Amino acid sequence: MEGLITDQSALLQTRIITENELSDSPGADVWVRFHIESASDNKSFHTQWKKALPVNDYIVKIPVKNLKANNRYVYKVQYGTDKLNYLTRVLCRFK
């Protein structure tokens, strides 16, 4: 999910939840980052890694700056128990 979008920045956020319905914890302590690609020139970059924590309800918010105005971007959430072994999920878009 994205929010606070300006012509040069966006705030990307996601909430990491467990897939185990029997778990007492609604979320997962994992590392999260976003992979972002510019639709106009296919250049891509990653945000820094940030830990999803229970104190934040497993919500991770990462600001992205230096975006190009009137450009479409696609992004994916990458998350894992460490920064070397991660999954990539959810394709989203913003302009």
Side-chain angles (χ1 to χ4, degrees):
M1 178 163 129
E2 64 281 341
L4 299 175
I5 298 174
T6 70
D7 59 347
Q8 296 180 357
S9 67
L11 179 65
L12 302 183
Q13 65 182 23
T14 190
R15 182 171 188 249
I16 304 298
I17 58 171
T18 61
E19 295 180 7
N20 182 355
E21 294 178 14
L22 301 176
S23 173
D24 290 337
S25 174
D29 291 347
V30 296
W31 288 97
V32 179
R33 74 176 178 181
F34 295 97
H35 173 85
I36 303 159
E37 186 173 318
S38 168
S40 64
D41 58 15
N42 292 329
K43 290 184 180 179
S44 65
F45 60 96
H46 296 97
T47 65
Q48 76 276 14
W49 288 100
K50 192 169 181 182
K51 187 80 168 179
L53 299 170
V55 68
N56 297 322
D57 198 26
Y58 304 98
I59 296 171
V60 172
K61 297 179 183 181
I62 302 177
V64 180
K65 298 181 180 180
N66 300 319
L67 300 175
K68 295 179 184 176
N70 297 316
N71 191 22
R72 290 195 184 278
Y73 290 90
V74 294
Y75 66 94
K76 299 173 187 175
V77 177
Q78 297 180 321
Y79 61 95
T81 54
D82 61 61
K83 298 176 184 178
L84 298 176
N85 300 297
Y86 56 85
L87 300 172
T88 300
R89 299 278 191 264
V90 185
L91 177 66
C92 301
R93 296 175 175 83
F94 68 91
K95 181 176 180 181

